[in-house]
């Protein structure tokens, strides 16, 4: 890519690489790392004047793959922010790649959350998370995982 100054690098992260929530610190930290690596690589390509190499950062909200089954935001908000279908995320990512869009957040509301996080004081962001139910959205997921682990241990006599 560098030799011919042509190509496209796509980095798949998560909205949890742009803002975090309680209970999945390890996941958030890894996604923050992915976002930071992508930004650094993009700056490196620009500094090297490799404008023929495009980059796209993909940051979807909760994707309905079962990975975080049980994750729940505030019930009044859930109809407006349901888990995303995998094929929808792929279509949005492909549109972004084919139009050389540097970043795609799905749904678009994620841009607003990211923007608000960057301009509001931490305490205001906490209030926003609490209003949305995002501050503890992973707790039901974690409880389900613990229950499944306990059931497996009991089944196996551990």
């Amino acid at each position: 890519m560098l030799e011919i100054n042509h190509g496209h690098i796509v980095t798949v992260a998560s909205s949890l690489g742009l803002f975090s929530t309680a209970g999945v610190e390890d996941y958030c930290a890894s996604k923050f790392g992915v976002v930071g690596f992508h930004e650094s690589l993009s700056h490196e390509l620009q500094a090297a004047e490799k404008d023929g190499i495009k980059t796209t950062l993909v940051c979807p909200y909760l994707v309905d793959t079962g990975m975080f089954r049980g994750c729940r935001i505030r019930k009044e908000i859930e109809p407006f922010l349901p888990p995303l279908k995998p094929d929808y995320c792929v279509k949005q990512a492909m549109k972004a790649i084919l139009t050389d869009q540097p970043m795609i957040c799905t749904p678009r509301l994620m841009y607003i959350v990211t923007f608000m996080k960057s301009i509001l004081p931490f305490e205001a962001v906490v209030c926003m998370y609490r209003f949305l139910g995002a501050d503890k959205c992973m707790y039901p997921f974690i409880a389900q995982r613990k229950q499944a682990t306990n059931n497996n241990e009991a089944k196996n006599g551990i």
Side-chain angles (χ1 to χ4, degrees):
M1 278 191 209
L2 290 173
E3 273 183 28
I4 62 172
N5 190 26
H6 183 74
H8 202 121
I9 298 169
V10 180
T11 307
V12 179
S14 167
S15 59
L16 290 179
L18 304 171
F19 51 85
S20 60
T21 189
V24 286
E25 294 81 6
D26 51 351
Y27 182 82
C28 292
S30 70
K31 295 305 178 181
F32 268 83
V34 169
V35 170
F37 174 78
H38 177 87
E39 287 180 5
S40 183
L41 178 61
S42 298
H43 286 294
E44 182 73 24
L45 291 169
Q46 291 300 311
E49 299 181 4
K50 298 294 181 181
D51 58 346
I53 302 173
K54 307 301 180 192
T55 61
T56 299
L57 175 63
V58 180
C59 295
Y61 170 67
L62 183 66
V63 182
D64 191 12
T65 62
M67 181 174 172
F68 289 122
R69 184 172 287 123
C71 172
R72 294 283 177 261
I73 58 173
R74 188 172 157 193
K75 66 182 176 187
E76 295 86 0
I77 306 291
E78 269 187 337
F80 304 104
L81 271 177
L84 303 172
K85 299 293 179 202
D87 55 334
Y88 170 77
C89 292
V90 170
K91 287 176 185 170
Q92 294 302 306
M94 287 305 301
K95 273 191 219 174
I97 293 162
L98 294 172
T99 58
D100 295 332
Q101 190 173 331
M103 179 176 173
I104 178 73
C105 291
T106 50
R108 291 192 178 278
L109 178 63
M110 296 303 110
Y111 291 110
I112 296 169
V113 176
T114 304
F115 175 71
M116 298 299 277
K117 179 188 165 227
S118 67
I119 63 166
L120 293 174
F122 180 76
E123 294 79 13
V125 173
V126 169
C127 288
M128 178 178 66
Y129 280 23
R130 286 181 178 156
F131 173 77
L132 295 172
D135 60 329
K136 298 177 183 175
C137 64
M138 289 295 181
Y139 286 10
F141 160 74
I142 293 166
Q144 282 184 352
R145 300 298 298 166
K146 283 182 182 174
Q147 183 64 39
T149 300
N150 291 341
N151 288 343
N152 283 338
E153 287 175 358
K155 213 184 301 180
N156 295 325
I158 298 174

